[in-house]
């Protein structure tokens, strides 16, 4: 069984774990629809950057 030669320092351990975080989703308020939506995505009503993107059925 492999055993480390030296104890891993707190700094090395924390540097290794810097990328193990959770990111919050970017949510912005859309003035055209009056709803909150994810940034850079089409809203549920089919609007993107204030313009209608999807066709109505």
């Amino acid at each position: 069984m492999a055993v480390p030669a030296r104890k891993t320092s707190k700094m090395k351990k924390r540097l290794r774990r810097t990328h193990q975080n959770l990111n919050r989703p970017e949510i912005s308020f859309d003035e055209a629809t009056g709803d909150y939506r994810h940034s850079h995505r089409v809203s549920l009503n089919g609007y993107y950057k204030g313009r209608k993107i999807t066709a109505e059925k």
Side-chain angles (χ1 to χ4, degrees), residues 17-35:
R17 293 177 181 172
T18 55
H19 304 290
Q20 296 180 357
N21 55 357
L22 294 175
N23 296 327
R24 287 184 283 155
E26 295 295 328
I27 297 176
S28 61
F29 185 74
D30 190 10
E31 290 86 12
T33 60
D35 261 346

Side-chain angles (χ1 to χ4, degrees), residues 26-53:
E26 295 295 328
I27 297 176
S28 61
F29 185 74
D30 190 10
E31 290 86 12
T33 60
D35 261 346
Y36 289 98
R37 63 173 180 81
H38 289 278
S39 296
H40 306 287
R41 286 173 179 77
V42 179
S43 68
L44 295 175
N45 299 335
Y47 283 92
Y48 184 72
K49 291 188 179 178
R51 294 182 298 163
K52 186 74 170 176
I53 300 296

Side-chain angles (χ1 to χ4, degrees), residues 5-21:
R6 289 180 179 83
K7 177 183 175 182
T8 305
S9 68
K10 292 176 186 176
M11 187 179 80
K12 288 288 185 184
K13 182 169 47 177
R14 289 173 184 162
L15 284 174
R16 188 177 66 239
R17 293 177 181 172
T18 55
H19 304 290
Q20 296 180 357
N21 55 357

